[in-house]
Amino acid sequence: QEKAATIEAISYNEAAGRFEYQVVRDYREGGAAKVYYADRPTCIACHRNHAPIFSRPLWDETNANAAIAATLASLRDSFYGIPVARGVDIPNAIDDATDRANSYAALQRIWREGCETPGVPEEEIACRADALLAMLRYRLAGNRHPAPDRESPATAFAAALERRWPELWPGGLALPEGDVPNRAPLAAPLDPRELSEATAIRLTTIPRAFEPFMPRPPHEVWQAPATPEQTRRLVEGLAQFVADADIQRLDDFLWRQEASTVDLEASCTITTVDLANGRREIRIDCPGPEGPVLHGYVQLQRRKVLGGAIRHLQIDGQMLTNLEIAGGAADASDDGRLGLLLKERTAGLHARLPDGRAIRQLTIEGLSGEGPHRVTLTVADDFSLVLDAVAAMREQARSGVSDALAPAPMRRAALMPALFAVLGAEPIDWCCLDAAGMPAAALEP
């Protein structure tokens, strides 16, 4: 707020596993800005889930409202570097982010308290380690879970929750609604330079029905997970606390390691279609039932791989879609051998099965001859390194060497450094658990 020289901020405190509410006073040119913690009980009166809140669509208090956008544009085209004419994309992204944030407090409670086993710390550690493995497997596989007929993820985690949930949350774990009612302060543009005091007071007066402190019913009530699907949902929620950069680094590290591999062969139909400018498209159809099921295509220009996609891949009941061909080359010999690198399109990770194993290469042989053609998928069990590393983290927790799996908030900056250290990855600087050098926290007077 420029006229008040004040900033109100919500920031995530990883060490505490919660959002903090802060105020910066005297934030102006020539001022002496100071940061204070706001009175938390006052903030929580509106921020029921201890998290950011936002309005429901159509977000009429933002410049998604054409009247507000026109009023702002009459002053200048952008504010703080953000153009006025932005439509609904930004408020929609903010709404999505606040919806995710409103689950954090409940997820942190589940991580911290759901694994509690009084008098048996080994079981608590095993429970959190099991959840961590399920999270890492899910993220590495491009946000995919193993098939329902395979071993369910996080079985120890699910068993602990089934035991503890009735004691902790017998009526369910309620998540208050994080969206407040949509309010339209302007129905038509106005000239802010000719704004009367009476109009300004009217515009800043919020009817009681729109006040954020008004009671809001729960958005949903989480019950004890009774099915693998419900456990998977909790795993997906907890997996949000691990940064994309951490998963990318883990994926790259595992890719460089030696690991046992297995070749899975399929008999396929290969069709070559000539395209413009000397390009050609190789269409792959491996129907099964023996061997992998695979449908996709790759485009070439001479021996250079231009790109392509695997629309459908199924191995041992595990299904992958949305894979891209990210590289590869045709063999210079005359046998028509083509080696391809697959990546998960959305996350940019190496292609992995939902059980964590990596697909190191897709090889097509005999392109220059008559079919049927042989397609080979080379699968590496590099996720076993993660299994061993998390087992070592359990030992460290039992011996008190590490608190990463302790009954404390889930801290990505505690879990991931411990994991990478056991794996033997090159150390990096991590944020943000070390409070050394930070000024003492001060409550707003």
Side-chain angles (χ1 to χ4, degrees):
Q1 296 293 328
E2 289 181 350
K3 289 187 177 181
T6 297
I7 296 175
E8 293 184 354
I10 300 177
S11 60
Y12 189 73
N13 181 338
E14 185 171 13
R18 70 179 192 179
F19 287 96
E20 307 287 14
Y21 302 88
Q22 295 157 305
V23 178
V24 184
R25 297 293 186 193
D26 202 21
Y27 187 84
R28 58 184 174 83
E29 186 176 357
K34 292 186 178 180
V35 182
Y36 299 99
Y37 276 83
D39 180 61
R40 192 173 187 88
T42 300
C43 298
I44 301 308
C46 298
H47 297 266
R48 306 290 168 74
N49 280 318
H50 298 244
I53 56 177
F54 204 56
S55 75
R56 303 187 187 103
L58 298 166
W59 310 295
D60 283 319
E61 288 185 271
T62 77
N63 52 323
N65 180 341
I68 288 182
T71 300
L72 291 171
S74 70
L75 295 175
R76 52 184 187 266
D77 293 335
S78 67
F79 289 78
Y80 312 108
I82 301 175
V84 169
R86 294 302 297 238
V88 300
D89 290 346
I90 286 182
N92 184 69
I94 293 173
D95 192 26
D96 289 344
T98 56
D99 287 346
R100 292 191 298 270
N102 273 266
S103 68
Y104 287 2
L107 289 166
Q108 284 285 12
R109 289 196 68 182
I110 289 169
W111 170 266
R112 191 174 59 251
E113 302 174 34
C115 285
E116 285 183 349
T117 308
V120 193
E122 293 83 0
E123 290 189 11
E124 291 190 20
I125 294 167
C127 171
R128 296 189 187 95
D130 192 43
L132 175 62
L133 277 174
M135 291 158 44
L136 296 175
R137 181 185 286 116
Y138 168 74
R139 291 292 303 277
L140 282 170
N143 296 349
R144 296 181 178 93
H145 293 292
D149 59 345
R150 301 180 69 86
E151 181 181 356
S152 297
T155 51
F157 178 58
L161 292 181
E162 185 178 2
R163 181 180 65 253
R164 288 285 290 155
W165 199 290
E167 303 173 20
L168 295 169
W169 309 294
L173 187 56
L175 278 69
E177 177 60 68
D179 287 342
V180 296
N182 181 54
R183 171 177 171 264
L186 290 184
L190 54 79
D191 187 345
R193 287 161 294 205
E194 299 180 0
L195 189 64
S196 68
E197 182 177 353
T199 301
I201 292 174
R202 178 180 59 79
L203 291 174
T204 56
T205 300
I206 301 177
R208 188 174 182 84
F210 295 102
E211 282 285 3
F213 60 69
M214 290 296 290
R216 301 191 296 273
H219 173 67
E220 57 183 324
V221 179
W222 291 355
Q223 301 295 339
T227 65
E229 288 73 22
Q230 290 173 307
T231 302
R232 290 188 183 105
R233 183 183 178 189
L234 295 179
V235 168
E236 291 167 13
L238 292 170
Q240 298 176 88
F241 291 107
V242 180
D244 291 345
D246 297 338
I247 299 301
Q248 184 69 68
R249 183 173 179 235
L250 179 58
D251 177 53
D252 291 341
F253 175 85
L254 295 176
W255 188 261
R256 297 191 300 268
Q257 308 311 304
E258 294 290 337
S260 61
T261 62
V262 61
D263 288 337
L264 305 175
E265 296 184 354
S267 180
C268 309
T269 299
I270 302 295
T271 306
T272 301
V273 178
D274 292 328
L275 305 175
N277 302 320
R279 296 178 296 120
R280 58 190 174 125
E281 183 171 287
I282 310 298
R283 298 175 182 174
I284 314 162
D285 182 17
C286 311
E290 296 193 10
V293 176
L294 188 150
H295 305 286
Y297 71 95
V298 57
Q299 291 189 357
L300 305 174
Q301 190 160 40
R302 296 183 183 275
R303 292 190 175 93
K304 182 180 179 182
V305 174
L306 302 178
I310 302 301
R311 296 186 294 270
H312 177 92
L313 172 61
Q314 186 170 330
I315 299 175
D316 297 333
Q318 301 185 86
M319 187 179 300
L320 297 180
T321 57
N322 201 33
L323 300 179
E324 67 174 334
I325 295 174
D331 198 324
S333 63
D334 294 330
D335 65 357
R337 186 175 182 274
L338 180 62
L340 302 172
L341 172 66
L342 306 184
K343 283 202 169 184
E344 203 282 324
R345 186 183 298 275
T346 304
L349 304 171
H350 294 100
R352 291 180 178 275
L353 296 173
D355 62 14
R357 292 181 295 162
I359 301 174
R360 289 290 173 95
Q361 184 167 280
L362 186 155
T363 306
I364 306 172
E365 297 183 69
L367 281 176
S368 58
E370 297 294 328
H373 300 85
R374 186 172 66 188
V375 170
T376 303
L377 286 161
T378 302
V379 179
D381 187 18
D382 55 1
F383 191 75
S384 61
L385 300 174
V386 179
L387 296 176
D388 294 341
V390 173
M393 290 173 64
R394 289 175 57 177
E395 292 300 322
Q396 291 178 346
R398 277 195 286 264
S399 61
V401 173
S402 168
D403 69 346
L405 298 173
M410 174 182 280
R411 297 147 298 153
R412 160 250 183 185
L415 288 167
M416 299 310 293
L419 176 71
F420 283 122
V422 173
L423 286 169
E426 183 178 350
I428 62 173
D429 292 331
W430 291 86
C431 174
C432 298
L433 299 183
D434 186 3
M438 293 185 184
L443 187 65
E444 185 180 19

